[in-house]
Amino acid sequence: MNKNSTDIKKVFESFILDFVKKDKQDRVFQFLKKEKNWWKITNEFHSSTLFDKSVLKDIKPNEQYSEPIYNELIKLGAETECYSLLDYLENNEYECDLSEKLSDSVGFLVETIIYCPKSGIGYYEGGHAKDRYILKKNNKRN
């Protein structure tokens, strides 16, 4: 697992730059620097307030299930092999199959960030039923 730890950390840093509001990025980066503070990142992602609203794509209420979400992510260009960023922080297996991870995550109200870095697409679920979004990177970044 350690051989990729630098790569996954870079993926996580890119995720923060692409998806988290500019004024909240430094705080998350500070937590990411020290492994003992990683749990604080999961707490920060309990709700979607950290995200730049322009990267959040609403999911229709009748489509908040793993299969329609998977289909939408694939339609947007997501790869089937992705990373579960919060699993990485908990020292769990973080390389995942998109379909399997969605099946294990959607609707459980457990903070989840599944990210496909090549396409800049992912899925977020917070600790509240209304906090489920498809994440799509903005192509224009300042």
Side-chain angles (χ1 to χ4, degrees):
M1 183 169 141
N2 256 355
K3 70 179 175 64
N4 288 331
S5 61
T6 305
D7 296 339
I8 185 67
K9 206 158 192 179
K10 285 183 178 150
V11 167
F12 210 126
E13 289 168 357
S14 294
F15 176 85
I16 293 166
L17 289 171
D18 289 336
F19 291 96
V20 174
K21 291 177 187 172
K22 291 237 179 279
D23 63 338
K24 303 287 185 190
Q25 290 176 0
D26 284 345
R27 180 177 171 84
V28 180
F29 278 127
Q30 288 302 316
F31 293 152
L32 190 59
K33 277 183 188 173
K34 290 194 170 126
E35 194 168 336
K36 71 176 185 159
N37 290 328
W38 285 1
W39 65 272
K40 294 177 182 180
I41 296 173
T42 302
N43 283 357
E44 291 287 317
F45 282 109
H46 182 70
S47 77
S48 61
T49 56
L50 275 185
F51 289 105
D52 176 340
K53 295 293 180 216
S54 68
V55 301
L56 299 178
K57 185 178 183 316
D58 287 329
I59 301 169
K60 294 176 190 161
N62 64 338
E63 294 180 357
Q64 293 197 5
Y65 305 96
S66 61
E67 194 172 317
I69 292 169
Y70 174 80
N71 292 336
E72 182 64 18
L73 290 170
I74 292 298
K75 192 170 87 179
L76 291 169
E79 307 84 61
T80 56
E81 293 299 316
C82 299
Y83 295 108
S84 176
L85 296 181
L86 299 181
D87 278 336
Y88 163 68
L89 297 180
E90 294 172 7
N91 290 314
N92 293 327
E93 180 56 45
Y94 57 85
E95 292 181 27
C96 59
D97 174 80
L98 180 59
S99 178
E100 286 177 23
K101 189 63 182 173
L102 286 170
S103 292
D104 293 344
S105 303
V106 174
F108 290 97
L109 303 181
V110 174
E111 295 80 6
T112 303
I113 298 173
I114 303 168
Y115 184 51
C116 307
K118 289 181 191 148
S119 60
I121 294 170
Y123 171 75
Y124 164 79
E125 181 164 328
H128 306 284
K130 65 178 177 54
D131 264 349
R132 290 188 192 133
Y133 295 98
I134 287 175
L135 303 170
K136 188 164 186 332
K137 184 168 114 173
N138 283 329
N139 288 329
K140 52 179 205 175
R141 268 284 170 218
N142 301 343

